[in-house]
Every structure is written in C-alpha cells, then in structure tokens.
Amino acid sequence: MSRLDDALREALRREEPPEGFAGRVMARIEARKERAGAWDGLMAAWRGPRLRWAGALAGAVLLIGTAAYQETQRAEGEQAKRQVMLALRITGAKLDLARARIQRVGYGLGDR
Amino acid sequence: MRIAIVVLAATLGTAWAQDIKMPPAFDKLAAKAEESVDVTLDSGMLQLGGKFLSDKDADEAKAKKLIGGLKGIYVRSFEFAKEGEYSAADVDALRSQLQPPVWSRVVGVTSKKGGEITEVYFKTSNGAQIGGLVVIDAEPKELTVVSISGAISPEDLADLGGQFGIPKVELPKSKGKEAK
C-alpha cells in the first residue's frame, strides 16, 4: 500500500467519543425542544380565539379610557373657561357700577 | 399632633392662596337667595380655563392675558326676593379682613337713600401692579363680592370695565361737586 493510503486510514480511523457525550447531546436536544414548546404554545394560544379576543378587548378598553379621560378634561376645561368669563363679566360689571356711582356723586375715577 | 399640623398648614395654605376668606355665613345666604352665583377658580382651574380660551376671540384673548398672572378668582353673588335677607355683619366679616397696610380701600360709595354700598379694595404691591382686588357691592336685595388674587396691571383693570360684553358706563360728569 502507498503512504497515502496509510495516512487516510490513520485520519479516518474510528474513535470512541468521550464518556457521557451521547447523554449531553440528548439533554441539549431535549432542552431546545422544551424552549420551542413554550414559545410555540404561546403563539398557538395567540392564534387561538380567546387570547385574540382578550387582546382586542384590552385595546378597546384602553382606547375608550383614553377617550373618556380626554373628554372629561375637555369638559372641565370648558367649564373653567365659562367660569372665568362669568367671573370677569361680573367683576367688570361691578367695577363699571362703582365707576357710575362715583360719577353720579361727582368725583369720578375718570377725572383723575 | 402631626395631623393637626398638616390640617392647620393646609387651612393656612388655602387661606393664603385665596387671600380673602369668604365668610361662612355666605353659604347660608345661598339657601335664602332667589339666584346665586358661586365661582371658585384657583390657580389650577385658571390655568385649565386659560388653555380653552381662544386667541381669536377678542374678549377671550383679553381674559387669557388677564388671568395669566392671577392666583385665583372668587365670586359670590346673591339676589334675594325681598330686602333684609343679609345683615351688615355678613359684609363686615369680609370687610374686617381688608385691613391696611395690606389692603387699601380705593373706592367707597354709600347711598343711604338707596341703601347701596360699593367698595373697591386693592392689595398693595411693591411693583407697578396691583397685588389683588376685592369688590363689594351691597344693595337692598343683592349682595356681590368679587375677590381676585394675584398680579393685575392697571391696564388690565381698566380693560375689565366696559369689556367682556358689558357696555362701558359713561355718565355725564356732575359739575356740582369737586373731585376727591
């Protein structure tokens, strides 16, 4: 035989794996299967109608809640605005009344 | 003890913020009144209301500018069906808070014939602005008190009269008496 044949035989000769190698490989395969199982389960549940409905419901509640909050804020703001205008109108009217009474008795603020 | 201090601080805080405390008797007057107005706007409510005031509307734009420096606006107004529903003591309870040197009475008109009292008080301020304003208008069948807390410029004060949809009252000047 040639030297090349010898070298090939040497390189490709059967070698026994270290002790516990097969067990470790099998354990890693199992662990990967478990992780994939949990994720697949979640995805499957999402694809299921119950969780999809729950998600849609939560979204709708959030949307309605935000809209209701904004509406409450708007209503309070409008109410505050009306009160500001009312208060200033009353103040203006009373200041005018004071001015008119002063002028009536003859020493108006307008004279100053 | 701590609770008492907190309650006292909160009470004093509110009183300080409002400057003038509306007499408790006013709450009873509301029940007697045919019509009553109660406006309580602290700084938070003024800010909120200011956000909704339009710059395009002339009155609202002026109101927005005016309330910018204010800490609060408080109005109590009562209209009664008959005379004598409120007492002088009700007004005195408010008037007693408006003492110098903090407050100055700038207008005081009393008509014994008509039974009308109109008083305007300014809160003294170091700057060119007025630190607060109180208007008391007591008539036989009507009582109105306005308390404005915060900085008001004389221009804003002049704007208040004859603005906000109220026609300016310009009566012919009397020639009989001298200006005070």
Side-chain angles (χ1 to χ4, degrees):
Chain A
M1 281 293 187
S2 67
R3 285 166 66 183
L4 179 65
D5 286 343
D6 290 339
L8 277 171
R9 195 171 291 118
E10 177 60 26
L12 299 173
R13 78 184 160 84
R14 183 180 172 83
E15 199 170 317
E16 286 302 315
E19 201 173 326
F21 176 79
R24 286 198 297 276
V25 169
M26 290 312 289
R28 288 181 73 173
I29 289 168
E30 284 304 313
R32 194 167 290 178
K33 266 187 191 171
E34 274 175 25
R35 276 206 301 273
W39 177 249
D40 285 348
L42 196 68
M43 291 310 291
W46 175 247
R47 277 185 223 111
R50 271 190 193 173
L51 202 62
R52 211 157 44 191
W53 276 110
L57 193 68
V61 165
L62 192 70
L63 214 65
I64 291 166
T66 307
Y69 175 74
Q70 283 175 345
E71 178 54 28
T72 308
Q73 284 288 99
R74 195 195 61 76
E76 280 179 6
E78 288 290 341
Q79 170 75 3
K81 176 185 133 178
R82 279 194 295 274
Q83 290 215 324
V84 166
M85 294 309 288
L86 174 66
L88 294 181
R89 280 194 179 108
I90 292 172
T91 309
K94 292 303 168 190
L95 286 175
D96 274 343
L97 189 68
R99 187 186 289 129
R101 282 180 181 158
I102 289 166
Q103 287 177 350
R104 199 171 62 197
V105 296
Y107 52 97
L109 278 175
D111 293 344
R112 289 184 191 180
Chain B
M1 183 65 181
R2 272 185 191 175
I3 293 169
I5 291 168
V6 169
V7 169
L8 183 68
T11 311
L12 287 175
T14 310
W16 179 256
Q18 187 174 335
D19 277 345
I20 293 301
K21 210 164 184 262
M22 292 290 174
F26 281 14
D27 294 335
K28 289 174 188 165
L29 293 181
K32 290 188 202 171
E34 226 174 24
E35 277 183 44
S36 67
V37 174
D38 181 347
V39 177
T40 301
L41 293 161
D42 58 15
S43 59
M45 288 300 281
L46 283 175
Q47 270 189 343
L48 183 63
K51 283 180 193 166
F52 285 82
L53 288 167
S54 166
D55 290 319
K56 290 172 187 168
D57 182 286
D59 276 357
E60 290 189 18
K62 272 180 184 162
K64 195 172 187 176
K65 180 176 166 277
L66 198 148
I67 65 169
L70 298 185
K71 287 187 263 177
I73 304 179
Y74 308 90
V75 178
R76 299 286 184 281
S77 184
F78 312 99
E79 270 187 53
F80 305 101
K82 56 182 195 292
E83 294 181 14
E85 291 284 5
Y86 69 92
S87 68
D90 295 330
V91 183
D92 285 342
L94 180 78
R95 205 181 274 129
S96 64
Q97 300 175 56
L98 303 163
Q99 296 297 323
V102 179
W103 291 92
S104 313
R105 195 178 79 164
V106 290
V107 172
V109 182
T110 305
S111 163
K112 284 186 180 172
K113 190 180 169 190
E116 299 154 350
I117 297 168
T118 305
E119 291 174 354
V120 180
Y121 295 82
F122 285 171
K123 188 176 182 187
T124 37
S125 173
N126 291 332
Q129 294 190 319
I130 298 156
L133 168 78
V134 170
V135 182
I136 301 172
D137 178 44
E139 296 176 27
K141 291 200 284 187
E142 191 185 326
L143 175 65
T144 301
V145 172
V146 177
S147 169
I148 295 178
S149 167
I152 313 163
S153 71
E155 294 80 30
D156 288 340
L157 192 66
D159 264 353
L160 261 174
Q163 292 293 337
F164 304 107
I166 303 155
K168 207 162 199 161
V169 180
E170 288 294 348
L171 294 180
K173 286 171 192 170
S174 167
K175 290 173 184 172
K177 293 174 186 176
E178 283 296 311
K180 200 177 180 181

